[in-house]
Amino acid sequence: MDAVDATVEKLRAQCLSRRALGIQGLARFFRRLDRDRSRSLDSGELQRGLAELGLVLDAAEAEGVCRRWDRDGSGTLDLDEFLRALRPPMSQAREAVIAAAFAKLDRSGDGVVTVDDLRGVYRGCAHPKVRSGEWTEEEVLRRFLDNFDSSEKDGQVTLAEFQDYYSGVSASMDTDEEFVAMMTSAWQL
C-alpha cells in the first residue's frame, strides 16, 4: 500500500467511525472549504481541512492525495471522485438491490429517472405541502428526485448517481442483510 492509499484508508476509517454522518459530513465539510465552488481543492486547502478533522498530513502527502484524483491536470483534488473513493466498496448483493430499486423507478427503461418516471410509481398529492397548496405535485416529485441527483440538479438521475447516493447509505450499515432489507422495504421490492 502506498502512502496515498494509507492516507485514504486513515480518512475512511475516521469517516466510518462516525457512521452515517461520516462520509456525508465529510462531503459537507469539503464543500465548505471549496470557497470558489470549483468542486475541487488544492493541496493546501486539503491539508488545512484534514488538520481540522484531526488527520495531519505533511505537504507531500497532501499533494499526493490531490494528484491521485486530479482528473484534468489542474493540480487540484476533484471532490466527487475523492468522496467516492472514500466509500468502502459495496458487495454484489448491495449493488443488485440498488439496481433493482433503480429499475423500478426507471419506468421508461432509458437508464435515466425523471419526474415523468416517478409519476408512474409515486403520487405526490398526499404530501402535506401539496395538501396545503404550498407546492404542486410536480414540485414534490422534483424535490424527491433531487435527493438522488448529483450536485448539478438537472432533473435526471442516472444509475451511477443513484448508486452514489446509496453507497453513502451503505457505508453506515454493517451487514448486507440489513442493507438489502432496508432497500427492499423502502422501495417495496
Side-chain angles (χ1 to χ4, degrees):
M1 178 181 297
D2 69 9
V4 173
D5 288 338
T7 300
V8 170
E9 283 304 316
K10 283 186 221 170
L11 191 52
R12 180 181 288 153
Q14 187 179 45
C15 289
L16 292 177
S17 72
R18 296 177 182 187
R19 305 288 294 166
L21 299 178
I23 291 174
Q24 292 170 343
L26 189 63
R28 283 189 301 275
F29 176 76
F30 278 130
R31 287 188 185 105
R32 280 195 312 272
L33 293 176
D34 179 22
R35 298 198 191 281
D36 66 356
R37 298 195 177 183
S38 63
R39 305 211 40 84
S40 62
L41 300 175
D42 66 30
S43 62
E45 291 170 320
L46 176 68
Q47 188 177 15
R48 285 187 296 280
L50 291 179
E52 283 183 42
L53 296 173
L55 184 59
V56 179
L57 303 181
D58 63 34
E61 290 172 315
E63 286 172 17
V65 172
C66 282
R67 260 192 319 277
R68 177 68 55 93
W69 284 276
D70 181 6
R71 302 295 182 221
D72 61 2
S74 66
T76 60
L77 171 82
D78 178 285
L79 289 179
D80 291 330
E81 291 292 326
F82 182 60
L83 293 169
R84 243 180 242 115
L86 285 177
R87 293 181 178 137
M90 288 190 292
S91 69
Q92 287 182 336
R94 292 179 191 222
E95 288 179 354
V97 75
I98 291 168
F102 184 83
K104 181 176 181 177
L105 291 178
D106 183 16
R107 305 229 338 138
S108 65
D110 64 358
V112 177
V113 175
T114 64
V115 169
D116 288 335
D117 288 315
L118 290 181
R119 273 193 201 97
V121 181
Y122 294 104
R123 291 182 44 216
C125 60
H127 191 282
K129 291 195 176 196
V130 172
R131 287 185 171 190
S132 73
E134 189 175 340
W135 290 352
T136 64
E137 187 171 358
E138 173 94 7
E139 286 174 296
V140 168
L141 295 175
R142 176 63 187 248
R143 288 175 187 247
F144 178 74
L145 191 63
D146 283 350
N147 289 312
F148 306 103
D149 207 350
S150 67
S151 59
E152 300 166 15
K153 307 293 186 203
D154 62 1
Q156 298 182 349
V157 175
T158 64
L159 177 58
E161 288 172 321
F162 198 70
Q163 287 171 325
D164 192 41
Y165 174 86
Y166 275 109
S167 69
V169 175
S170 173
S172 70
M173 301 185 92
D174 293 330
T175 67
D176 286 351
E177 292 77 17
E178 180 184 15
F179 182 80
V180 169
M182 179 275 301
M183 290 291 293
T184 301
S185 174
W187 294 104
Q188 300 174 2
L189 300 175

